[in-house]
Amino acid sequence: MMTRLKKGQLLLKLTFVLGSLWMFALLIHPKGSWDPTFTLRYSWLEYTDADGGPEKVCNCSAILQGDREAVEHAKLLTITKDFQKSVQIPDEYYIHATKDCRQFKLSRKYLTFPLSQEEEEFPLAYSMVVHHKVQNFERLLRAIYAPQNIYCVHIDNKTEASVFSAISAITSCFPNVFLVSQTVSVVYAAWTRVQADLNCMADLYNAKTKWKYFINLCGQDFPLKTNLEIVQALRSLRGANSLESEKLPAQKQWRVSNAYHIVDGQIKEAGKTKEPPPFNLPIMSGNAYIVVTRGYIRSVLEDNRIQTLMEWAKDTFSPDEFLWATIQRMPGVPGSTWPNAKFDMTDINAIARLVKWEGHEGPQGSLEAVYPECEGSHVRSICVYGAGDLQWMLNQHHLFANKFDADTDPIAIHCLERYLRQKALAELH
């Protein structure tokens, strides 16, 4: 009799505990989509020193706080040949590892469920244009991956076979990551750079996922915010776009006044002057990277005015650095602003991308400098970020930053990865 009573009380307590766990799960996933293995999976979603990797010898916490000793230690490591060799992951690793997709996602700690209802109800679309550095691409994808989002990957036609195979293998492991339906050979400063994004825009727009905002990336970008923070920043735009768009400087007028064409894989002057832009449109200055609404993308694909503008722009120099900025100021385009100069927006004020241009760097306190000096190296006058840039970067409002390179400073990526994952998981509590 007593045994039966105790068993009944134990069963009642167990039912209560399970019920409490279920209610807790509903609070995290209000739609009732709670995965019962969530509590087991949560603990190993954090990036820890136990994951291995030579970067673990660095003190990321000190680096993120700007500790000069920790930063200098990281700098010394990045120029050490043995360290550089030890951090490289060959393309063959990804080709082999992705033969078992479940184990690949498990070992690489991909987030396979939405971390909040707010994120689940606000899916994003990404275009990713890449041509080399598989390790950079995979770490970027892992940093921004969420199952409710959708990702289109454009691999340059000129890409080496091992790179193509590795990136293709990675994308095949995810139902919401796909290769673009039509690829091009991208030529620096030519129309093909725009075409690569256009092809992804079309595929993303026609996909079943009804995403809210479009963000385009290259392989050397990296997020500065968690997915939840990105969603909240985009919600706060209230249907507006955020991208650089300001008056075209006089010293850049030649880019749209003279015709260009591709010769032997390089852009060259065609030796003729272009007609003025259609509809007397003011050509604006901007950059290739944008944060825009679904409505903006619909206009790009369907608005006859924009189609005419794009035909005119196909033989200009670096059209990616004025096309999106010009469309942003066209009346009737969703999320656009007036062409009046009072609505001009610099790259510093837009949230799309944080880039340190060498000509705008300077010492702290300098009235002429836009930002502090680069702690890494420079490629084509752009800072390739070092670990010492992280403290400053994380205080900016931008969603992404460019450039990062695992070949030259993997510690910067490593510490940023860990910071973002810890923050994303902390947001669950």
Side-chain angles (χ1 to χ4, degrees), residues 16 74 115 123 143 153 183 188 202 230 242 257 278 289 337 359 387:
F16 176 78
L115 294 185
V153 182
T183 59
Y188 177 73
I230 291 174
S242 187
S257 300
Y289 302 107
T337 57

Side-chain angles (χ1 to χ4, degrees), residues 125-138:
Y126 286 95
S127 165
M128 305 174 73
V129 177
V130 294
H131 67 282
H132 66 346
K133 298 182 184 293
V134 178
Q135 184 178 355
N136 272 24
F137 164 77
E138 193 270 332

Side-chain angles (χ1 to χ4, degrees), residues 409-423:
D409 199 326
I411 295 170
I413 298 175
H414 170 73
C415 290
L416 190 48
E417 281 180 317
R418 291 187 59 155
Y419 167 82
L420 290 172
R421 178 54 62 89
Q422 288 170 357
K423 193 170 188 183

Side-chain angles (χ1 to χ4, degrees), residues 25-172:
L26 288 176
L27 290 173
I28 297 176
H29 296 276
K31 283 191 169 183
S33 58
W34 177 60
D35 184 340
T37 63
F38 172 75
T39 52
L40 296 175
R41 290 157 52 181
Y42 174 81
S43 61
W44 55 259
L45 283 172
E46 295 183 18
Y47 300 149
T48 66
D49 289 344
D51 298 330
E55 302 98 328
K56 67 182 182 182
V57 299
C58 295
N59 186 338
C60 283
S61 296
I63 288 172
L64 292 171
Q65 292 169 10
D67 182 274
R68 289 314 304 179
E69 186 177 343
V71 169
E72 292 303 322
H73 177 233
K75 282 185 176 182
L76 286 173
L77 275 177
T78 58
I79 61 174
T80 305
K81 287 184 179 180
D82 288 343
F83 179 80
Q84 282 289 343
K85 186 178 179 180
S86 67
V87 297
Q88 300 310 308
I89 301 177
D91 299 344
E92 290 71 25
Y93 161 79
Y94 296 104
I95 296 170
H96 177 75
T98 51
K99 288 180 180 178
D100 184 341
C101 287
R102 182 181 176 278
Q103 181 58 34
F104 173 72
K105 289 186 281 189
L106 201 68
S107 63
R108 297 296 292 160
K109 300 188 176 182
Y110 277 84
L111 295 173
T112 55
F113 54 91
L115 294 185
S116 68
Q117 183 179 8
E118 184 176 3
E119 294 169 83
E120 190 173 7
E121 294 176 350
F122 204 91
L124 308 175
Y126 286 95
S127 165
M128 305 174 73
V129 177
V130 294
H131 67 282
H132 66 346
K133 298 182 184 293
V134 178
Q135 184 178 355
N136 272 24
F137 164 77
E138 193 270 332
R139 292 172 79 164
L140 168 61
L141 177 64
R142 181 174 67 160
I144 63 173
Y145 183 79
Q148 70 274 10
N149 296 339
I150 185 169
Y151 308 82
C152 173
V153 182
H154 181 286
I155 309 174
D156 195 320
N157 278 344
K158 302 187 299 298
T159 298
E160 293 180 9
S162 65
V163 173
F164 181 85
S165 296
I167 294 177
S168 298
I170 293 166
T171 61
S172 70

